[in-house]
């Protein structure tokens, strides 16, 4: 079955540091890939997405590129801020639309210190 | 715009008790899902629905029932709560034509 393997946390960085959170996946078809973010006390919010190989998703300074050859979707940000502190989830869906069945990674807790 | 609303936000149950977690969405989304979030395990799919009257099992369905009588509502029922069901539960909805799943704020359930 489908699976997502995500970099273990927690991750602690200083403000303005470079961020990478690794994510690799296993899927039978050609999945869509997502990064969701969970701020304290809240539900998950979509951060960015990519629906086919070599697509780059981007939002709020975060980027991730769909790499079919390495089955990866690593999340990056050039300069993190305290407000980026949250839990980040990599996820996949076997379909492009109507994502009622998402497969999630275990989540990576990110803490940014001033 | 309320989005996805879950109630209650917190609940403590005794082993063997039953309860229903409520989920409602006002976006007219066809798809709705229930996930549980456990430390070190991410979110796992419990049940999902692709429309009113249609439900199916996810990865971890045992001990839970669902029904979908309207487009808006998708309640999750625990018939006889067990300590292993202590978790944070999230409801989500998505459109047939969209990429994004919208999540509620979650229900933190403790079974003692």
């Amino acid at each position: 079955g489908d699976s997502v393997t995500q970099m273990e946390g927690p991750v602690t960085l200083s403000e303005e540091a470079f961020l990478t959170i690794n994510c690799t996946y296993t899927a039978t078809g050609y999945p869509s890939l997502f990064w969701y973010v969970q701020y304290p006390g809240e539900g998950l919010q979509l951060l960015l997405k990519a629906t086919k190989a070599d697509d780059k998703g981007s939002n709020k300074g975060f980027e991730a590129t769909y790499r079919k050859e390495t089955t990866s979707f690593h999340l990056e940000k050039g300069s993190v801020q305290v407000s980026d502190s949250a839990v980040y989830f990599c996820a996949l869906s076997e379909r492009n639309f109507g994502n009622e069945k998402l497969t999630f990674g275990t989540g990576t807790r990110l803490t940014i210190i001033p | 715009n309320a989005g996805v609303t879950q109630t209650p936000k917190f609940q403590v149950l005794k082993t063997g008790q039953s309860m229903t977690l409520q989920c409602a969405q006002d976006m007219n989304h066809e798809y709705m899902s229930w996930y549980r979030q456990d430390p070190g395990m991410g979110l796992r799919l419990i049940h999902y629905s692709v429309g009113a009257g249609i439900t199916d099992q996810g990865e971890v369905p045992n001990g839970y029932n669902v029904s979908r009588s309207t487009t808006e509502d998708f309640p999750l029922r625990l018939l006889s709560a067990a300590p292993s069901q202590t978790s944070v539960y999230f409801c989500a909805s998505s459109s047939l034509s969209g990429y994004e799943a919208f999540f509620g704020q979650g229900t933190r359930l403790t079974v003692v």
Side-chain angles (χ1 to χ4, degrees):
Chain A
D2 298 343
S3 66
V4 175
T5 301
Q6 191 174 336
M7 175 178 172
E8 292 288 333
V11 174
T12 302
L13 295 173
S14 297
E15 204 166 21
E16 298 183 3
F18 184 86
L19 168 71
T20 300
I21 301 177
N22 289 337
C23 172
T24 57
Y25 67 90
T26 302
T28 53
Y30 301 93
S32 295
L33 301 174
F34 306 88
W35 278 99
Y36 277 82
V37 59
Q38 183 181 29
Y39 297 104
E42 298 185 11
L44 280 71
Q45 306 172 23
L46 180 64
L47 180 60
L48 54 83
K49 69 178 189 303
T51 59
K52 60 182 186 297
D54 300 325
D55 267 2
K56 177 186 283 189
S58 61
N59 186 25
K60 299 181 181 180
F62 291 89
E63 293 182 340
T65 301
Y66 189 141
R67 301 287 188 198
K68 186 170 178 291
E69 64 275 13
T70 54
T71 61
S72 64
F73 193 55
H74 305 320
L75 182 68
E76 297 182 336
K77 187 174 185 182
S79 177
V80 293
Q81 305 300 313
V82 172
S83 58
D84 294 327
S85 298
V87 181
Y88 292 81
F89 292 91
C90 186
L92 69 80
S93 171
E94 284 287 3
R95 63 158 100 225
N96 285 334
F97 301 101
N99 292 309
E100 77 281 14
K101 293 194 292 181
L102 290 165
T103 299
F104 286 90
T106 54
T108 301
R109 182 175 300 277
L110 174 66
T111 302
I112 307 300
I113 53 177
Chain B
N1 189 352
V4 179
T5 303
Q6 288 184 239
T7 55
K9 287 188 168 49
F10 301 94
Q11 183 71 49
V12 178
L13 288 179
K14 294 183 178 178
T15 298
Q17 285 186 316
S18 63
M19 80 160 296
T20 299
L21 308 185
Q22 301 292 344
C23 175
Q25 54 95 4
D26 62 359
M27 296 172 282
N28 203 33
H29 284 169
E30 296 85 354
Y31 298 154
M32 297 186 75
S33 310
W34 276 103
Y35 296 86
R36 58 177 289 173
Q37 181 182 23
D38 300 296
M41 304 191 75
L43 279 79
R44 293 179 293 168
L45 182 65
I46 304 172
H47 285 285
Y48 64 96
S49 169
V50 299
I54 306 170
T55 64
D56 207 345
Q57 297 180 351
E59 181 185 356
V60 288
N62 292 341
Y64 308 95
N65 280 349
V66 293
S67 60
R68 183 104 178 266
S69 56
T70 67
T71 299
E72 295 78 19
D73 300 302
F74 191 43
L76 179 71
R77 282 182 284 276
L78 285 71
L79 299 180
S80 178
S84 61
Q85 293 177 305
T86 294
S87 187
V88 181
Y89 292 84
F90 287 99
C91 179
S93 74
S94 60
S95 165
L96 179 63
S97 58
Y99 294 107
E100 183 172 358
F102 294 82
F103 285 79
Q105 290 197 314
T107 295
R108 184 173 295 274
L109 176 68
T110 303
V111 182
V112 298

PDB file of all heavy atoms in Angstrom, chain B residues 4-35:
ATOM      1  N   VAL B   4     -15.219  23.632   8.384  1.00  0.00           N
ATOM      2  CA  VAL B   4     -15.491  22.341   9.012  1.00  0.00           C
ATOM      3  C   VAL B   4     -15.554  22.557  10.517  1.00  0.00           C
ATOM      4  O   VAL B   4     -14.590  23.058  11.109  1.00  0.00           O
ATOM      5  CB  VAL B   4     -14.410  21.301   8.668  1.00  0.00           C
ATOM      6  CG1 VAL B   4     -14.714  19.979   9.358  1.00  0.00           C
ATOM      7  CG2 VAL B   4     -14.307  21.118   7.160  1.00  0.00           C
ATOM      8  N   THR B   5     -16.679  22.188  11.114  1.00  0.00           N
ATOM      9  CA  THR B   5     -16.890  22.386  12.549  1.00  0.00           C
ATOM     10  C   THR B   5     -17.008  21.049  13.244  1.00  0.00           C
ATOM     11  O   THR B   5     -17.832  20.207  12.866  1.00  0.00           O
ATOM     12  CB  THR B   5     -18.164  23.207  12.795  1.00  0.00           C
ATOM     13  OG1 THR B   5     -18.064  24.456  12.107  1.00  0.00           O
ATOM     14  CG2 THR B   5     -18.351  23.466  14.283  1.00  0.00           C
ATOM     15  N   GLN B   6     -16.182  20.868  14.275  1.00  0.00           N
ATOM     16  CA  GLN B   6     -16.217  19.641  15.064  1.00  0.00           C
ATOM     17  C   GLN B   6     -16.661  19.955  16.484  1.00  0.00           C
ATOM     18  O   GLN B   6     -16.221  20.941  17.078  1.00  0.00           O
ATOM     19  CB  GLN B   6     -14.826  19.001  15.136  1.00  0.00           C
ATOM     20  CG  GLN B   6     -14.357  18.371  13.852  1.00  0.00           C
ATOM     21  CD  GLN B   6     -13.020  17.682  14.038  1.00  0.00           C
ATOM     22  OE1 GLN B   6     -12.047  18.007  13.367  1.00  0.00           O
ATOM     23  NE2 GLN B   6     -12.966  16.711  14.935  1.00  0.00           N
ATOM     24  N   THR B   7     -17.484  19.079  17.033  1.00  0.00           N
ATOM     25  CA  THR B   7     -17.843  19.186  18.449  1.00  0.00           C
ATOM     26  C   THR B   7     -17.908  17.799  19.062  1.00  0.00           C
ATOM     27  O   THR B   7     -18.248  16.820  18.377  1.00  0.00           O
ATOM     28  CB  THR B   7     -19.223  19.867  18.620  1.00  0.00           C
ATOM     29  OG1 THR B   7     -20.199  19.153  17.861  1.00  0.00           O
ATOM     30  CG2 THR B   7     -19.190  21.317  18.204  1.00  0.00           C
ATOM     31  N   PRO B   8     -17.541  17.640  20.346  1.00  0.00           N
ATOM     32  CA  PRO B   8     -16.947  18.680  21.205  1.00  0.00           C
ATOM     33  C   PRO B   8     -15.461  18.847  20.906  1.00  0.00           C
ATOM     34  O   PRO B   8     -14.902  18.098  20.117  1.00  0.00           O
ATOM     35  CB  PRO B   8     -17.153  18.092  22.601  1.00  0.00           C
ATOM     36  CG  PRO B   8     -17.034  16.618  22.389  1.00  0.00           C
ATOM     37  CD  PRO B   8     -17.652  16.346  21.040  1.00  0.00           C
ATOM     38  N   LYS B   9     -14.818  19.781  21.556  1.00  0.00           N
ATOM     39  CA  LYS B   9     -13.374  19.962  21.411  1.00  0.00           C
ATOM     40  C   LYS B   9     -12.613  19.033  22.340  1.00  0.00           C
ATOM     41  O   LYS B   9     -11.506  18.600  22.029  1.00  0.00           O
ATOM     42  CB  LYS B   9     -12.983  21.411  21.695  1.00  0.00           C
ATOM     43  CG  LYS B   9     -13.375  22.376  20.607  1.00  0.00           C
ATOM     44  CD  LYS B   9     -12.815  23.753  20.840  1.00  0.00           C
ATOM     45  CE  LYS B   9     -12.962  24.645  19.622  1.00  0.00           C
ATOM     46  NZ  LYS B   9     -14.304  24.648  19.038  1.00  0.00           N
ATOM     47  N   PHE B  10     -13.168  18.734  23.485  1.00  0.00           N
ATOM     48  CA  PHE B  10     -12.551  17.843  24.457  1.00  0.00           C
ATOM     49  C   PHE B  10     -13.624  16.905  25.018  1.00  0.00           C
ATOM     50  O   PHE B  10     -14.775  17.294  25.177  1.00  0.00           O
ATOM     51  CB  PHE B  10     -11.922  18.623  25.628  1.00  0.00           C
ATOM     52  CG  PHE B  10     -10.877  19.604  25.221  1.00  0.00           C
ATOM     53  CD1 PHE B  10     -11.200  20.934  25.000  1.00  0.00           C
ATOM     54  CD2 PHE B  10      -9.553  19.210  25.050  1.00  0.00           C
ATOM     55  CE1 PHE B  10     -10.237  21.853  24.613  1.00  0.00           C
ATOM     56  CE2 PHE B  10      -8.582  20.123  24.673  1.00  0.00           C
ATOM     57  CZ  PHE B  10      -8.927  21.439  24.452  1.00  0.00           C
ATOM     58  N   GLN B  11     -13.217  15.677  25.319  1.00  0.00           N
ATOM     59  CA  GLN B  11     -14.151  14.722  25.903  1.00  0.00           C
ATOM     60  C   GLN B  11     -13.373  13.666  26.684  1.00  0.00           C
ATOM     61  O   GLN B  11     -12.347  13.178  26.211  1.00  0.00           O
ATOM     62  CB  GLN B  11     -14.984  14.036  24.817  1.00  0.00           C
ATOM     63  CG  GLN B  11     -16.040  13.081  25.330  1.00  0.00           C
ATOM     64  CD  GLN B  11     -17.183  13.802  26.008  1.00  0.00           C
ATOM     65  OE1 GLN B  11     -17.753  14.753  25.484  1.00  0.00           O
ATOM     66  NE2 GLN B  11     -17.539  13.337  27.198  1.00  0.00           N
ATOM     67  N   VAL B  12     -13.885  13.335  27.860  1.00  0.00           N
ATOM     68  CA  VAL B  12     -13.348  12.235  28.634  1.00  0.00           C
ATOM     69  C   VAL B  12     -14.459  11.197  28.776  1.00  0.00           C
ATOM     70  O   VAL B  12     -15.574  11.524  29.166  1.00  0.00           O
ATOM     71  CB  VAL B  12     -12.871  12.689  30.036  1.00  0.00           C
ATOM     72  CG1 VAL B  12     -12.365  11.493  30.830  1.00  0.00           C
ATOM     73  CG2 VAL B  12     -11.781  13.749  29.909  1.00  0.00           C
ATOM     74  N   LEU B  13     -14.141   9.955  28.434  1.00  0.00           N
ATOM     75  CA  LEU B  13     -15.093   8.857  28.523  1.00  0.00           C
ATOM     76  C   LEU B  13     -14.555   7.774  29.425  1.00  0.00           C
ATOM     77  O   LEU B  13     -13.324   7.603  29.541  1.00  0.00           O
ATOM     78  CB  LEU B  13     -15.334   8.223  27.151  1.00  0.00           C
ATOM     79  CG  LEU B  13     -16.144   8.972  26.108  1.00  0.00           C
ATOM     80  CD1 LEU B  13     -16.214   8.145  24.832  1.00  0.00           C
ATOM     81  CD2 LEU B  13     -17.534   9.293  26.616  1.00  0.00           C
ATOM     82  N   LYS B  14     -15.460   7.014  30.013  1.00  0.00           N
ATOM     83  CA  LYS B  14     -15.050   5.812  30.723  1.00  0.00           C
ATOM     84  C   LYS B  14     -15.105   4.644  29.749  1.00  0.00           C
ATOM     85  O   LYS B  14     -15.896   4.623  28.796  1.00  0.00           O
ATOM     86  CB  LYS B  14     -15.970   5.567  31.913  1.00  0.00           C
ATOM     87  CG  LYS B  14     -15.863   6.635  32.994  1.00  0.00           C
ATOM     88  CD  LYS B  14     -16.748   6.298  34.178  1.00  0.00           C
ATOM     89  CE  LYS B  14     -16.588   7.360  35.261  1.00  0.00           C
ATOM     90  NZ  LYS B  14     -17.464   7.099  36.419  1.00  0.00           N
ATOM     91  N   THR B  15     -14.266   3.661  30.004  1.00  0.00           N
ATOM     92  CA  THR B  15     -14.258   2.461  29.172  1.00  0.00           C
ATOM     93  C   THR B  15     -15.660   1.870  29.097  1.00  0.00           C
ATOM     94  O   THR B  15     -16.324   1.706  30.121  1.00  0.00           O
ATOM     95  CB  THR B  15     -13.279   1.427  29.740  1.00  0.00           C
ATOM     96  OG1 THR B  15     -11.953   1.977  29.721  1.00  0.00           O
ATOM     97  CG2 THR B  15     -13.299   0.143  28.940  1.00  0.00           C
ATOM     98  N   GLY B  16     -16.078   1.555  27.863  1.00  0.00           N
ATOM     99  CA  GLY B  16     -17.394   0.974  27.659  1.00  0.00           C
ATOM    100  C   GLY B  16     -18.487   1.974  27.311  1.00  0.00           C
ATOM    101  O   GLY B  16     -19.556   1.585  26.823  1.00  0.00           O
ATOM    102  N   GLN B  17     -18.253   3.251  27.570  1.00  0.00           N
ATOM    103  CA  GLN B  17     -19.253   4.257  27.227  1.00  0.00           C
ATOM    104  C   GLN B  17     -19.297   4.466  25.721  1.00  0.00           C
ATOM    105  O   GLN B  17     -18.340   4.173  25.002  1.00  0.00           O
ATOM    106  CB  GLN B  17     -18.952   5.583  27.928  1.00  0.00           C
ATOM    107  CG  GLN B  17     -19.271   5.598  29.396  1.00  0.00           C
ATOM    108  CD  GLN B  17     -19.089   6.973  30.015  1.00  0.00           C
ATOM    109  OE1 GLN B  17     -18.103   7.674  29.748  1.00  0.00           O
ATOM    110  NE2 GLN B  17     -20.030   7.370  30.857  1.00  0.00           N
ATOM    111  N   SER B  18     -20.404   5.005  25.256  1.00  0.00           N
ATOM    112  CA  SER B  18     -20.547   5.331  23.843  1.00  0.00           C
ATOM    113  C   SER B  18     -20.672   6.839  23.686  1.00  0.00           C
ATOM    114  O   SER B  18     -21.054   7.548  24.627  1.00  0.00           O
ATOM    115  CB  SER B  18     -21.774   4.649  23.250  1.00  0.00           C
ATOM    116  OG  SER B  18     -22.947   5.126  23.875  1.00  0.00           O
ATOM    117  N   MET B  19     -20.296   7.316  22.517  1.00  0.00           N
ATOM    118  CA  MET B  19     -20.490   8.723  22.226  1.00  0.00           C
ATOM    119  C   MET B  19     -20.381   8.960  20.715  1.00  0.00           C
ATOM    120  O   MET B  19     -19.902   8.077  19.980  1.00  0.00           O
ATOM    121  CB  MET B  19     -19.493   9.616  22.954  1.00  0.00           C
ATOM    122  CG  MET B  19     -18.120   9.701  22.316  1.00  0.00           C
ATOM    123  SD  MET B  19     -17.202  11.152  22.849  1.00  0.00           S
ATOM    124  CE  MET B  19     -18.205  12.490  22.191  1.00  0.00           C
ATOM    125  N   THR B  20     -20.835  10.124  20.304  1.00  0.00           N
ATOM    126  CA  THR B  20     -20.764  10.519  18.907  1.00  0.00           C
ATOM    127  C   THR B  20     -19.989  11.820  18.784  1.00  0.00           C
ATOM    128  O   THR B  20     -20.287  12.794  19.482  1.00  0.00           O
ATOM    129  CB  THR B  20     -22.173  10.712  18.311  1.00  0.00           C
ATOM    130  OG1 THR B  20     -22.887   9.475  18.391  1.00  0.00           O
ATOM    131  CG2 THR B  20     -22.086  11.153  16.861  1.00  0.00           C
ATOM    132  N   LEU B  21     -18.983  11.796  17.926  1.00  0.00           N
ATOM    133  CA  LEU B  21     -18.266  13.016  17.574  1.00  0.00           C
ATOM    134  C   LEU B  21     -18.963  13.627  16.355  1.00  0.00           C
ATOM    135  O   LEU B  21     -19.183  12.935  15.354  1.00  0.00           O
ATOM    136  CB  LEU B  21     -16.805  12.719  17.235  1.00  0.00           C
ATOM    137  CG  LEU B  21     -15.994  11.910  18.247  1.00  0.00           C
ATOM    138  CD1 LEU B  21     -14.543  11.819  17.803  1.00  0.00           C
ATOM    139  CD2 LEU B  21     -16.098  12.501  19.632  1.00  0.00           C
ATOM    140  N   GLN B  22     -19.261  14.914  16.475  1.00  0.00           N
ATOM    141  CA  GLN B  22     -20.000  15.567  15.400  1.00  0.00           C
ATOM    142  C   GLN B  22     -19.053  16.290  14.445  1.00  0.00           C
ATOM    143  O   GLN B  22     -18.032  16.842  14.851  1.00  0.00           O
ATOM    144  CB  GLN B  22     -20.997  16.577  15.981  1.00  0.00           C
ATOM    145  CG  GLN B  22     -22.022  15.985  16.919  1.00  0.00           C
ATOM    146  CD  GLN B  22     -23.011  15.070  16.218  1.00  0.00           C
ATOM    147  OE1 GLN B  22     -23.140  15.077  14.987  1.00  0.00           O
ATOM    148  NE2 GLN B  22     -23.725  14.276  17.017  1.00  0.00           N
ATOM    149  N   CYS B  23     -19.419  16.283  13.173  1.00  0.00           N
ATOM    150  CA  CYS B  23     -18.670  17.011  12.148  1.00  0.00           C
ATOM    151  C   CYS B  23     -19.661  17.582  11.150  1.00  0.00           C
ATOM    152  O   CYS B  23     -20.518  16.843  10.630  1.00  0.00           O
ATOM    153  CB  CYS B  23     -17.680  16.096  11.442  1.00  0.00           C
ATOM    154  SG  CYS B  23     -16.821  16.916  10.076  1.00  0.00           S
ATOM    155  N   ALA B  24     -19.537  18.865  10.887  1.00  0.00           N
ATOM    156  CA  ALA B  24     -20.408  19.520   9.904  1.00  0.00           C
ATOM    157  C   ALA B  24     -19.570  20.450   9.034  1.00  0.00           C
ATOM    158  O   ALA B  24     -18.655  21.106   9.528  1.00  0.00           O
ATOM    159  CB  ALA B  24     -21.497  20.313  10.613  1.00  0.00           C
ATOM    160  N   GLN B  25     -19.894  20.477   7.741  1.00  0.00           N
ATOM    161  CA  GLN B  25     -19.210  21.402   6.831  1.00  0.00           C
ATOM    162  C   GLN B  25     -20.249  22.180   6.023  1.00  0.00           C
ATOM    163  O   GLN B  25     -21.307  21.645   5.688  1.00  0.00           O
ATOM    164  CB  GLN B  25     -18.225  20.649   5.917  1.00  0.00           C
ATOM    165  CG  GLN B  25     -18.803  19.490   5.141  1.00  0.00           C
ATOM    166  CD  GLN B  25     -19.255  19.811   3.748  1.00  0.00           C
ATOM    167  OE1 GLN B  25     -19.089  20.923   3.240  1.00  0.00           O
ATOM    168  NE2 GLN B  25     -19.837  18.817   3.071  1.00  0.00           N
ATOM    169  N   ASP B  26     -19.902  23.415   5.735  1.00  0.00           N
ATOM    170  CA  ASP B  26     -20.846  24.295   5.039  1.00  0.00           C
ATOM    171  C   ASP B  26     -20.344  24.689   3.657  1.00  0.00           C
ATOM    172  O   ASP B  26     -20.728  25.732   3.126  1.00  0.00           O
ATOM    173  CB  ASP B  26     -21.145  25.531   5.891  1.00  0.00           C
ATOM    174  CG  ASP B  26     -19.905  26.376   6.149  1.00  0.00           C
ATOM    175  OD1 ASP B  26     -18.803  26.004   5.691  1.00  0.00           O
ATOM    176  OD2 ASP B  26     -20.044  27.414   6.830  1.00  0.00           O
ATOM    177  N   MET B  27     -19.484  23.868   3.086  1.00  0.00           N
ATOM    178  CA  MET B  27     -18.889  24.185   1.785  1.00  0.00           C
ATOM    179  C   MET B  27     -19.489  23.339   0.664  1.00  0.00           C
ATOM    180  O   MET B  27     -18.989  23.375  -0.457  1.00  0.00           O
ATOM    181  CB  MET B  27     -17.372  23.979   1.865  1.00  0.00           C
ATOM    182  CG  MET B  27     -16.706  24.926   2.852  1.00  0.00           C
ATOM    183  SD  MET B  27     -14.966  24.563   3.145  1.00  0.00           S
ATOM    184  CE  MET B  27     -15.103  23.180   4.257  1.00  0.00           C
ATOM    185  N   ASN B  28     -20.496  22.550   0.997  1.00  0.00           N
ATOM    186  CA  ASN B  28     -21.156  21.683   0.020  1.00  0.00           C
ATOM    187  C   ASN B  28     -20.178  20.685  -0.609  1.00  0.00           C
ATOM    188  O   ASN B  28     -20.301  20.323  -1.786  1.00  0.00           O
ATOM    189  CB  ASN B  28     -21.837  22.507  -1.080  1.00  0.00           C
ATOM    190  CG  ASN B  28     -22.951  21.737  -1.760  1.00  0.00           C
ATOM    191  OD1 ASN B  28     -23.626  20.922  -1.143  1.00  0.00           O
ATOM    192  ND2 ASN B  28     -23.147  21.988  -3.043  1.00  0.00           N
ATOM    193  N   HIS B  29     -19.198  20.232   0.199  1.00  0.00           N
ATOM    194  CA  HIS B  29     -18.220  19.273  -0.306  1.00  0.00           C
ATOM    195  C   HIS B  29     -18.810  17.877  -0.368  1.00  0.00           C
ATOM    196  O   HIS B  29     -19.544  17.449   0.531  1.00  0.00           O
ATOM    197  CB  HIS B  29     -16.988  19.255   0.604  1.00  0.00           C
ATOM    198  CG  HIS B  29     -16.104  20.436   0.411  1.00  0.00           C
ATOM    199  ND1 HIS B  29     -15.074  20.737   1.274  1.00  0.00           N
ATOM    200  CD2 HIS B  29     -16.073  21.388  -0.550  1.00  0.00           C
ATOM    201  CE1 HIS B  29     -14.448  21.817   0.851  1.00  0.00           C
ATOM    202  NE2 HIS B  29     -15.038  22.232  -0.254  1.00  0.00           N
ATOM    203  N   GLU B  30     -18.433  17.174  -1.434  1.00  0.00           N
ATOM    204  CA  GLU B  30     -18.935  15.806  -1.602  1.00  0.00           C
ATOM    205  C   GLU B  30     -18.238  14.839  -0.643  1.00  0.00           C
ATOM    206  O   GLU B  30     -18.848  13.910  -0.138  1.00  0.00           O
ATOM    207  CB  GLU B  30     -18.704  15.333  -3.041  1.00  0.00           C
ATOM    208  CG  GLU B  30     -19.464  16.123  -4.105  1.00  0.00           C
ATOM    209  CD  GLU B  30     -18.727  17.374  -4.557  1.00  0.00           C
ATOM    210  OE1 GLU B  30     -17.669  17.708  -3.972  1.00  0.00           O
ATOM    211  OE2 GLU B  30     -19.203  18.030  -5.505  1.00  0.00           O
ATOM    212  N   TYR B  31     -16.945  15.051  -0.435  1.00  0.00           N
ATOM    213  CA  TYR B  31     -16.148  14.078   0.305  1.00  0.00           C
ATOM    214  C   TYR B  31     -15.934  14.516   1.738  1.00  0.00           C
ATOM    215  O   TYR B  31     -15.608  15.672   2.004  1.00  0.00           O
ATOM    216  CB  TYR B  31     -14.782  13.893  -0.361  1.00  0.00           C
ATOM    217  CG  TYR B  31     -14.833  13.345  -1.766  1.00  0.00           C
ATOM    218  CD1 TYR B  31     -13.802  13.625  -2.652  1.00  0.00           C
ATOM    219  CD2 TYR B  31     -15.875  12.554  -2.205  1.00  0.00           C
ATOM    220  CE1 TYR B  31     -13.822  13.133  -3.943  1.00  0.00           C
ATOM    221  CE2 TYR B  31     -15.911  12.057  -3.490  1.00  0.00           C
ATOM    222  CZ  TYR B  31     -14.883  12.345  -4.359  1.00  0.00           C
ATOM    223  OH  TYR B  31     -14.911  11.852  -5.633  1.00  0.00           O
ATOM    224  N   MET B  32     -16.076  13.568   2.657  1.00  0.00           N
ATOM    225  CA  MET B  32     -15.746  13.819   4.060  1.00  0.00           C
ATOM    226  C   MET B  32     -15.016  12.617   4.629  1.00  0.00           C
ATOM    227  O   MET B  32     -15.236  11.478   4.186  1.00  0.00           O
ATOM    228  CB  MET B  32     -17.017  14.114   4.874  1.00  0.00           C
ATOM    229  CG  MET B  32     -17.733  15.381   4.422  1.00  0.00           C
ATOM    230  SD  MET B  32     -19.118  15.848   5.461  1.00  0.00           S
ATOM    231  CE  MET B  32     -18.287  16.501   6.901  1.00  0.00           C
ATOM    232  N   SER B  33     -14.149  12.892   5.624  1.00  0.00           N
ATOM    233  CA  SER B  33     -13.289  11.837   6.168  1.00  0.00           C
ATOM    234  C   SER B  33     -13.084  12.058   7.659  1.00  0.00           C
ATOM    235  O   SER B  33     -13.147  13.190   8.135  1.00  0.00           O
ATOM    236  CB  SER B  33     -11.909  11.858   5.485  1.00  0.00           C
ATOM    237  OG  SER B  33     -12.020  11.878   4.077  1.00  0.00           O
ATOM    238  N   TRP B  34     -12.784  10.966   8.344  1.00  0.00           N
ATOM    239  CA  TRP B  34     -12.362  11.024   9.750  1.00  0.00           C
ATOM    240  C   TRP B  34     -10.967  10.421   9.870  1.00  0.00           C
ATOM    241  O   TRP B  34     -10.692   9.333   9.335  1.00  0.00           O
ATOM    242  CB  TRP B  34     -13.309  10.232  10.651  1.00  0.00           C
ATOM    243  CG  TRP B  34     -14.516  10.986  11.069  1.00  0.00           C
ATOM    244  CD1 TRP B  34     -15.784  10.869  10.583  1.00  0.00           C
ATOM    245  CD2 TRP B  34     -14.585  11.986  12.102  1.00  0.00           C
ATOM    246  NE1 TRP B  34     -16.634  11.722  11.234  1.00  0.00           N
ATOM    247  CE2 TRP B  34     -15.924  12.420  12.172  1.00  0.00           C
ATOM    248  CE3 TRP B  34     -13.649  12.542  12.971  1.00  0.00           C
ATOM    249  CZ2 TRP B  34     -16.341  13.394  13.073  1.00  0.00           C
ATOM    250  CZ3 TRP B  34     -14.065  13.507  13.871  1.00  0.00           C
ATOM    251  CH2 TRP B  34     -15.400  13.927  13.914  1.00  0.00           C
ATOM    252  N   TYR B  35     -10.087  11.149  10.584  1.00  0.00           N
ATOM    253  CA  TYR B  35      -8.735  10.687  10.878  1.00  0.00           C
ATOM    254  C   TYR B  35      -8.524  10.717  12.379  1.00  0.00           C
ATOM    255  O   TYR B  35      -9.128  11.510  13.086  1.00  0.00           O
ATOM    256  CB  TYR B  35      -7.693  11.611  10.241  1.00  0.00           C
ATOM    257  CG  TYR B  35      -7.705  11.668   8.732  1.00  0.00           C
ATOM    258  CD1 TYR B  35      -8.543  12.544   8.052  1.00  0.00           C
ATOM    259  CD2 TYR B  35      -6.855  10.858   7.981  1.00  0.00           C
ATOM    260  CE1 TYR B  35      -8.541  12.609   6.670  1.00  0.00           C
ATOM    261  CE2 TYR B  35      -6.840  10.914   6.598  1.00  0.00           C
ATOM    262  CZ  TYR B  35      -7.694  11.791   5.950  1.00  0.00           C
ATOM    263  OH  TYR B  35      -7.691  11.850   4.584  1.00  0.00           O
TER     264      TYR B  35
END
